[in-house]
């Protein structure tokens, strides 16, 4: 077994263990399990996904323009067709984003956040710890370096912050899918993987600018785009929940309190 495969197996087992712990905790506390795990189905689902897609497409569009201006990439027409978009872009990236969000946010982050909940900044520690694991998990990809792992870890911060602040998997899923899809469509490698796009972008400058064979998250413009996305996520959640706190990462109401309020409202006489 290769080191990268061994680490992947370790990560899956760790995520499953923390997920089982979170599930047991919510059941023991008589909390609404699916909503507590972020698997909510409500009117905000399509909005969160679309917002996530829009934020990341804008960010990668900016990276594309900046890298072209700096001469960090050379751009040619892409080979994207409707068939290749469906079979080689949309379906694989949907599956990858869904699997990683289930493992790293719904299972792993939920459990780690519970364990650290008594600490003053426990939710932030949970974000950083799981993001570091997320970045390290991509070191086996083509073109990966410690720099690209840090850039991917920033992505883990984005998705973890989005998950905890909304108490839902759909904003991080939209952000994750949008980041990967927009990279591919603009012709960039997606964490070392290449798919058909609108353009075909070839690295023509230092890797610190373009990320080399790994893609934008291994270069400075891509990392700055990650920071921009984190800021935009906070703008979005602050707009929805003005009293939310960045220091504690508490924005969306607790699902248990929401359920209790609904039961009390239903019990009131008409």
């Amino acid at each position: 077994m290769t080191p990268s495969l061994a680490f992947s197996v370790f990560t899956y087992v760790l995520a499953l263990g923390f997920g089982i712990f979170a599930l047991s905790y919510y059941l023991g506390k008589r909390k609404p399990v699916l909503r507590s795990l972020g698997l909510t189905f409500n009117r905000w689902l399509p909005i969160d996904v679309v917002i996530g897609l829009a934020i990341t497409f804008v960010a990668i569009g900016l990276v594309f323009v900046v890298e072209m201006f700096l001469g960090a990439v050379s751009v040619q027409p892409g080979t994207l067709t409707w068939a290749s978009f469906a079979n080689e872009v949309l379906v694989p990236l949907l599956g990858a984003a869904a699997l990683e969000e289930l493992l790293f946010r719904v299972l792993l982050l939920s459990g780690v956040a519970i364990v650290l909940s008594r600490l003053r900044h426990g939710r932030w520690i949970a974000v950083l710890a799981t993001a570091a694991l997320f970045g390290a998990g991509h070191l086996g990809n083509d073109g990966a370096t410690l720099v690209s792992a840090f850039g991917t870890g920033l992505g883990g911060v984005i998705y973890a912050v989005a998950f905890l602040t909304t108490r839902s998997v759909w904003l991080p899923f939209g952000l994750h899918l949008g980041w990967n899809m927009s990279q591919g469509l603009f012709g960039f490698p997606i964490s070392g993987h290449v798919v058909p796009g609108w353009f075909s972008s070839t690295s023509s400058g230092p890797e610190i600018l373009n990320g080399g064979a790994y893609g934008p998250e291994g270069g400075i413009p891509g990392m700055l785009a990650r920071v921009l996305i984190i800021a935009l996520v906070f703008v979005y959640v602050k707009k929805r929940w003005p009293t939310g706190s960045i220091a504690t990462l508490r924005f969306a109401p607790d699902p248990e309190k929401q359920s209790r309020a609904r039961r009390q409202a239903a019990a009131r006489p008409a």
Side-chain angles (χ1 to χ4, degrees), residues 20 53 90 120 187 194 210:
I20 292 172
L53 291 170
L90 182 60
R120 183 178 178 185
V194 178
N210 55 44

Side-chain angles (χ1 to χ4, degrees), residues 123 160-167 233-234 237 241 249 251-252:
R123 289 164 75 86
V161 165
F163 181 79
L164 290 181
T165 54
T166 62
R167 296 182 184 268
V233 167
F234 278 124
V237 296
W241 299 286
L249 288 179
F251 283 82

